[in-house]
Structures are given as structure tokens and as C-alpha cells.
Amino acid sequence: MPDIDLDSFRKDGYHLLPGRLGADDQRRAVELFDSLDAADEVPASYEAEYDAHGDERRLRKLRRLLWNDPQMWGPMLNRAGVPDLARRVIGDNAAVVFHAAFLKAARVGTEVALHQDQALWTYSYPKAFSVWIALTEVSPRNGGLFGCPGSHANGEIKHQERPHYPWHASLDVAGDGLAEPVQFVLSPGDGAMWDRYFAHGSAANTSDEDRRGMVIVFADAGDPDFAAKDSFALSSLTALGSR
Ligand SMILES: O=C(O)CCC(=O)C(=O)O
């Protein structure tokens, strides 16, 4: 797996991660998400959110994947080399604080408005960064994923509630003086990582194909200000092995 260029990550606020997750792991993840999408009821432990259009209701987000099934997800994240990224960016005290699926169903999946993750979190997560892994093709055709280079540089920007968008407060490229977003065009198994203050989002999926991905967020659990609802130590993650 190619190493990351930490200087360019720190400068731009994001870094692309080609070829992280193998085909078998992609298939296992998608099969689980398909089965939960088809179920009448998803276990409450996934804290599921849905998109709906007419009679069609499809999963939008599933949370706490690693906590729901460490034996499935731990080895998969280890095979994707995710702990090494956490060690490089944060150090040995890194811990997973979120692991979620972002599912943007064909024709039904709605936008994720431009935001900085840290602005939406209940806790301040020192040194936090996200690793987002594509489980399908990801491009503007199916809603994609994009972010504004350098938008992390000055820390948190004030987000505003907007009447047309129900999920959370958001940013505006022009109104907040951000650089034009770059699109992350990804193949299944490719990833992107970004800083907690990096502004990013995605558009509605008007195509006939699902756009799927999952995100793992690490923070510095060794920082005196660290507090979290869920926290999975890097050592516990790596102890789950890679087979
Ligand atoms: O997958 C998406 O569409 C958005 C992802 C996102 O906002 C996040 O991981 O914080």
C-alpha cells in the first residue's frame, strides 16, 4: 500500500488513499448493508437513518459498525491498513470514535450538505481525522463526494441552519469564502482521508446505481481533553488481527 504524504495532508486537509480495501471485503460489507437495507427493522444498535421518496425508503446511514461486530470489521480495517494511518497522523494513543456507513441509494439518496465534521460533533475530538472508503464507484454521476482544499486551515467555521436541509447546519462555498470543491473520483476499495476541519459533502444520487461508502474516525485518546461516547483503542483494533 502506498505511504501517505503527511505534508500534503496537513497542507490540503485531505489525502487520497488508492486501493485500500480488497474485493472480498467490499463484497462482505455490501452484503451486510444490503441485508440491513432489505430488513423491515434494523437493530437499534445501528442508529439507522433513512432517505425516502414516494413509497421507496432506503438506508442513508448506519452507525457503530465496529461496536456492532468487531470480529467482522476489526480484521477488515486492519487489512485496509487503517491503523497505520492513525499511528502516522495521531500516534499510538489513537482510538476509533466513529465507524459508520454512508449509503446513497439510487434515485433516493439525498445530499450531505457541506460541513466540517468537528462542527457537528458533540465532543471535541483532538487531532481527529476520517478515513472514508468507497464500496462502489464514487463520482459526480452518483452523488459523489467532494471537499474544499485548505478549508481546515483556520479551524472551525460557523455553520448555519438552512431551511431546505433537515439533517444538520452547513457551510456555503462562496458565502464562507472557501476554495471550489474538488471531486473525489473513487473506484471500489479506494479511500480518502480528511482532517476534522476539512469542509466536505456530497450531492443527491439521481443515477440508477447506489453509491456506498464507510467512514472510520480516529481521535487522540491520550489528549487530556479527550471525551467520547464510544472509543475503541488502536491496540484493541490491531489485536483483532487481519485474518
Ligand atoms: O458519504 C457522504 O456522502 C458524506 C460523508 C461525510 O460527510 C462524512 O463521512 O463525514
Side-chain angles (χ1 to χ4, degrees):
M1 251 170 250
D3 197 7
I4 53 163
D5 179 345
L6 263 186
D7 289 340
S8 98
F9 173 62
R10 305 255 190 247
K11 175 173 156 292
D12 298 332
Y14 75 96
H15 197 295
L16 296 179
L17 304 167
R20 284 277 155 174
L21 196 68
D24 284 353
D25 285 335
Q26 294 164 32
R27 186 183 39 73
R28 292 180 68 208
V30 168
E31 277 175 8
L32 173 69
F33 300 152
D34 277 343
S35 71
L36 293 173
D37 210 3
D40 288 337
E41 214 173 316
V42 170
S45 54
Y46 284 104
E47 301 174 10
E49 281 174 8
Y50 288 88
D51 280 317
H53 186 72
D55 288 343
E56 207 176 350
R57 187 183 84 138
R58 298 284 308 275
L59 276 175
R60 168 189 175 88
K61 188 163 178 182
L62 294 164
R63 296 183 170 84
R64 307 189 71 250
L65 301 177
L66 181 60
W67 288 266
N68 272 285
D69 192 346
Q71 299 303 333
M72 169 174 168
W73 294 109
M76 200 185 290
L77 297 181
N78 291 334
R79 286 191 286 273
V82 170
D84 287 341
L85 299 173
R87 230 174 254 113
R88 291 267 276 132
V89 174
I90 295 177
D92 287 339
N93 287 324
V96 183
V97 290
F98 297 108
H99 182 198
F102 277 92
L103 309 170
K104 201 183 279 295
R107 298 175 304 278
V108 174
T110 55
E111 74 170 313
V112 173
L114 191 70
H115 67 281
Q116 296 169 311
D117 290 327
Q118 181 61 75
L120 307 187
W121 290 334
T122 307
Y123 298 101
S124 171
Y125 289 114
K127 291 192 194 157
F129 75 103
S130 298
V131 179
W132 195 101
I133 300 180
L135 299 167
T136 61
E137 298 289 338
V138 173
S139 79
R141 204 179 50 76
N142 62 11
L145 182 69
F146 53 77
C148 302
S151 49
H152 65 307
N154 297 316
E156 193 164 320
I157 304 167
K158 190 167 166 36
H159 288 49
Q160 283 181 29
E161 295 293 342
R162 298 180 206 264
H164 70 280
Y165 187 72
W167 297 100
H168 52 73
S170 58
L171 297 172
D172 178 74
V173 173
D176 290 303
L178 301 173
E180 276 308 305
V182 290
Q183 290 286 344
F184 299 154
V185 176
L186 307 173
S187 295
D190 289 347
M193 59 190 272
W194 58 77
D195 180 89
R196 64 177 164 155
Y197 293 120
F198 179 71
H200 60 281
S202 59
N205 185 358
T206 56
S207 81
D208 291 330
E209 284 161 30
D210 296 336
R211 191 235 62 176
R212 291 172 157 180
M214 68 173 171
V215 71
I216 305 99
V217 182
F218 287 94
D220 184 2
D223 188 293
D225 291 335
F226 177 81
K229 174 169 162 266
D230 291 315
S231 169
F232 205 105
L234 197 55
S235 53
S236 308
L237 177 59
T238 51
L240 289 167
S242 56
R243 296 176 63 96

